[in-house]
Amino acid sequence: MSGKKLMRGNEAIAEAAIRAGCRNYFAYPITPQAELLQWMAEHMPEQENGTFLQAESEIGAISMVYGAASTGERTMTSSSSPGISLKQEGISYLAGSELPAVIVNIMRGGPGLGNIQPAQGDYFQATKGGGHGDYRLIVLAPSTVPEAGELTFKAFDLADKYRNPVIVLADGMIGQMMEPVELPSPINPSDLPDKPWATTGTDGREPNSIRSFALGGKKLQAMNKNLQEKYERVKKAEIRYEEIGVEEPDVLIAAFGTVARIVRSTRRLAQEEGINVGIFRPITLWPFPGDRLAELSRRVNTVLTVEMNAGQMVEDVRLSVGSDVNTPFYGEQGGVVPDPNRILEEVKKYV
């Protein structure tokens, strides 16, 4: 496949993973990310040393990711909200063992089984550490189908660079919608980084040990300090965001993913009424671009956060900008997608 092609978001993510050198994919079916699994089932076996396996459960899938990632091979799993919840223990093990892997969450409405409509209710789970212990995941949030492919490709590089799991956090709308996509060229396997830490056999070297188990408080504390130092390096080097119309806004909207593209329509509607709406879109949800948002907040009286949940990213927004700025929230839940006109009504309250 070369040049532009019309693809679903799920398909673009899957193909981007293959092109990024992913050769191990383990997952269990769940809507609305089923097309991702189907694409991998069809195309992963075509790759040299490519492995596709539909696991017996989400817990089985994340355990297989742990094993494959231990060998240094680029590895991925995907699911949707309830399935990601089942993977949390394994994700904590991956982070504690410093294993690179990519985890895709195509979010749906919740809590519980919820429904298969798009939602953003997993922000806390992804950015605060949904499993046990003090760990962090790099979290990338695309707002278009092409960006979903680009960020998935980038996720593998970040996972290898920091020996850390990376989440691509999208939702059912991005997973199901179709847009023209031109993906990066397939990576040359010889260009992948060396991984001297991997468990590839001990011929000619001492055995490697990969574990998140450390008896004794001092040993485990040393391991945790090492992780925290790594997270600080990530925060200094990997923050990403997008700004639109932030020079002299009347109101600044903070939004991510699907909602960030919806508020572009709100911005156009507002301009027709002489209202200047700025948009700040975090691309990395962790590390969160709080310093830049704090700078922008000095230009306005109000930073309105819009999400498809009951208010999750808004907590990071408020921590970033402080109490001197008005920080209201508007959200829809349960798979209801915000309407640009309804968001505009909220904007007008603060002009």
Side-chain angles (χ1 to χ4, degrees):
M1 187 183 76
S2 60
K4 284 192 175 182
K5 182 177 180 179
L6 193 64
M7 302 182 78
R8 293 180 187 269
N10 288 329
E11 296 168 343
I13 290 170
E15 180 60 26
I18 292 172
R19 291 179 176 222
C22 177
R23 291 299 177 267
N24 299 280
Y25 173 81
F26 311 103
Y28 187 80
I30 186 172
T31 306
Q33 63 89 56
E35 293 85 2
L36 201 164
L37 186 143
Q38 291 168 353
W39 188 277
M40 287 303 219
E42 181 177 355
H43 297 288
M44 186 64 81
E46 300 171 354
Q47 314 306 312
E48 184 176 359
N49 299 320
T51 299
F52 165 87
L53 200 153
Q54 179 177 314
E56 73 277 12
S57 68
E58 288 87 353
I59 297 171
I62 200 67
S63 299
M64 294 172 189
V65 168
Y66 186 102
S70 297
T71 71
E73 293 291 320
R74 289 194 159 184
T75 304
M76 186 173 89
T77 188
S78 66
S79 191
S80 185
S81 305
I84 296 294
S85 295
L86 288 167
K87 297 176 189 284
Q88 289 305 313
E89 181 184 25
I91 292 171
S92 178
Y93 278 37
L94 286 165
S97 301
E98 295 194 84
L99 288 174
V102 174
I103 301 152
V104 177
N105 182 1
I106 306 298
M107 294 179 284
R108 58 190 257 178
L113 282 177
N115 58 28
I116 61 173
Q117 301 303 113
Q120 294 180 329
D122 302 350
Y123 179 94
F124 282 158
Q125 182 189 67
T127 62
K128 310 303 182 186
H132 56 288
D134 290 312
Y135 73 90
R136 292 286 195 175
L137 305 175
I138 300 171
V139 184
L140 306 175
S143 67
T144 68
V145 172
E147 190 180 36
E150 293 165 9
L151 291 181
T152 300
F153 195 91
K154 181 65 176 177
F156 285 93
D157 291 337
L158 292 172
D160 280 346
K161 180 178 180 180
Y162 294 102
R163 283 187 61 184
N164 206 74
V166 177
I167 286 188
V168 177
L169 192 68
D171 63 67
M173 181 173 287
I174 291 174
Q176 293 295 321
M177 72 167 55
M178 301 185 76
E179 292 185 298
V181 177
E182 189 166 6
L183 295 171
S185 300
I187 198 166
N188 188 331
S190 63
D191 293 334
L192 294 176
D194 293 330
K195 297 177 180 176
W197 50 265
T199 54
T200 56
T202 58
D203 187 18
R205 64 166 174 81
E206 291 297 313
N208 285 331
S209 177
I210 294 175
R211 62 183 182 273
S212 61
F213 183 65
L215 285 176
K218 289 186 177 180
K219 287 184 178 180
L220 187 56
Q221 177 166 270
M223 187 182 87
N224 272 278
K225 285 184 175 180
N226 176 66
L227 290 176
Q228 297 305 315
E229 289 170 1
K230 176 174 69 175
Y231 301 150
E232 289 301 314
R233 295 196 301 273
V234 175
K235 286 195 280 187
K236 290 178 181 178
E238 304 301 343
I239 287 176
R240 292 171 170 80
Y241 53 84
E242 181 186 22
E243 302 172 354
I244 302 171
V246 298
E247 293 76 18
E248 295 182 351
D250 297 313
V251 173
L252 183 64
I253 295 180
F256 73 94
T258 288
V259 177
R261 67 188 293 158
I262 292 172
V263 298
R264 288 173 181 255
S265 297
T266 298
R267 171 175 157 78
R268 289 192 293 269
L269 293 169
Q271 286 175 321
E272 293 173 2
E273 299 190 28
I275 302 170
N276 186 15
V277 171
I279 299 172
F280 182 76
R281 177 173 74 95
I283 298 173
T284 50
L285 301 184
W286 195 89
F288 188 77
D291 289 345
R292 178 55 179 165
L293 180 57
E295 292 175 11
L296 295 177
S297 71
R298 300 188 188 107
R299 305 177 186 180
V300 295
N301 294 320
T302 298
V303 178
L304 170 65
T305 304
V306 184
E307 304 178 68
M308 289 193 293
N309 56 42
Q312 297 190 19
M313 187 183 75
V314 67
E315 294 193 5
D316 286 330
V317 170
R318 289 169 176 164
L319 285 170
S320 299
V321 306
S323 58
D324 292 335
V325 178
N326 187 29
T327 53
F329 169 77
Y330 172 69
E332 299 285 5
Q333 302 171 56
V336 176
V337 178
D339 178 83
N341 289 285
R342 180 66 186 86
I343 299 170
L344 180 58
E345 292 176 14
E346 291 295 314
V347 168
K348 289 179 179 180
K349 294 178 182 179
Y350 309 105
V351 175

